[in-house]
Amino acid sequence: GENGLPGWTIYLDLDNSGTLNTDPVGTLEPSATTNVDGDFVIDHLVPGNYRVAEVVPTGWVPTSPVSQDVIVVQGQDTLANFFNFSGGDIVGTVWHDLSVPPDGIRAGSPGAYTEPGLANWTVFLDLNDNLALDAAEPSILTGADGSYAFTNLPPGDYEVTEILPAGWDVSPTFDIRQTATVFAQQQA
């Protein structure tokens, strides 16, 4: 159920240095780039023991060792799998809709909004979809400018929900929650 990662460099770490490099005569260690499914092939190897490693791009965290020792046997495929994580972010602002009637569109422009952010409002990710903040659900108070951020989240859909203080309501046609889709290394 988890997608492979395309465009990653996998190599044979022939000198066990932990880096993709060249030998004394300048020949680069054998390597391959993963395809759209995250698959790679380094072929035409002499049977024997090899260390297979990955180059981990900035922003990614390995969740398994970045190298592994394998035994190549003639006529057989040898598998080496790597697991990595990179989350995405949900960022936003809770603000006072002063328009008459309220329109759900923040007046002004970034840095010069005429409708102020609301500080110390609770925003949470409603993971079980029950419209209540439960103990295991991530939550945050908005900053002085009404901003909030949930960072390094696994990719997926999240119900971003605010808790309305007494006397407050949402702008017409809006709700206390919005669905945000998170992709690795992106902001929603």
Side-chain angles (χ1 to χ4, degrees):
E2 296 175 312
N3 296 327
L5 299 171
W8 285 54
T9 300
I10 309 297
Y11 65 98
L12 296 183
D13 191 2
L14 299 177
D15 62 359
N16 295 328
S17 67
T19 59
L20 174 60
N21 53 28
T22 58
D23 65 16
V25 294
T27 303
L28 187 64
E29 292 173 312
S31 66
T33 302
T34 58
N35 67 15
V36 69
D37 296 319
D39 298 328
F40 66 93
V41 174
I42 301 174
D43 54 8
H44 303 296
L45 298 175
V46 174
N49 296 324
Y50 294 92
R51 177 160 290 166
V52 182
E54 66 177 342
V55 176
V56 180
T58 302
W60 287 86
V61 177
T63 56
S64 68
V66 296
S67 67
Q68 52 191 283
D69 294 331
V70 298
I71 299 172
V72 172
V73 177
Q74 186 163 344
Q76 295 181 10
D77 289 338
T78 302
L79 297 177
N81 293 311
F82 299 97
F83 305 97
N84 299 278
F85 174 80
S86 183
D89 304 334
I90 297 173
V91 298
T93 304
V94 177
W95 49 274
H96 191 174
D97 190 353
L98 297 172
S99 303
V100 179
D103 60 5
I105 301 170
R106 192 169 189 193
S109 60
Y113 288 115
T114 57
E115 295 176 315
L118 298 170
N120 297 316
W121 280 48
T122 300
V123 179
F124 69 98
L125 302 181
D126 192 7
L127 301 178
N128 62 3
D129 204 25
N130 69 351
L131 294 171
L133 175 56
D134 298 308
E137 293 175 327
S139 68
I140 192 167
L141 291 177
T142 58
D145 62 353
S147 65
Y148 64 88
F150 296 96
T151 60
N152 210 25
L153 299 168
D157 291 335
Y158 294 88
E159 295 299 326
V160 182
T161 309
E162 67 180 337
I163 296 178
L164 291 175
W168 286 86
D169 202 356
V170 294
S171 298
T173 72
F174 285 86
D175 194 356
I176 61 168
R177 65 183 352 191
Q178 295 180 32
T179 302
T181 301
V182 171
F183 297 96
Q185 297 189 320
Q186 294 183 18
Q187 281 189 347

